Amino acid sequence: RNRSGQWVLVVLNYSEAEKPFRFSLSGASGRKTWRLYRTSDRPGESLAPAGTLENGEAAALPPRSITTFVTEN
């Protein structure tokens, strides 16, 4: 958790191919929506907003990228 009490997960995709990624946070009441931020070698992708996911949904991790997941609630 960060100082604000939000859950934070950082996922790296070192491969040259897009990879699916799915996780589910259990036992964390009320923490179900995740905001995504993307960092890669693409112009403009330095902690760039990359959408939201509900707990348990799959995310597509672009090649050679870092995706940071932060709970909204």
Side-chain angles (χ1 to χ4, degrees), residues 2-73:
N2 63 15
R3 288 182 178 214
S4 300
Q6 296 167 295
W7 291 85
V8 178
L9 180 67
V10 179
V11 181
L12 288 73
N13 180 5
Y14 284 111
S15 88
E16 297 293 334
E18 183 176 279
K19 298 289 183 179
F21 178 76
R22 181 186 312 265
F23 69 97
S24 181
L25 182 66
S26 61
S29 165
R31 303 203 186 277
K32 297 186 181 191
T33 303
W34 297 83
R35 184 160 300 281
L36 283 64
Y37 299 92
R38 178 99 8 89
T39 300
S40 74
D41 58 358
R42 291 182 179 178
E45 275 200 347
S46 178
L47 285 175
T52 59
L53 287 177
E54 295 301 312
N55 200 36
E57 282 187 298
L61 304 178
R64 306 199 45 80
S65 67
I66 301 167
T67 305
T68 303
F69 298 78
V70 181
T71 54
E72 286 192 328
N73 4 18

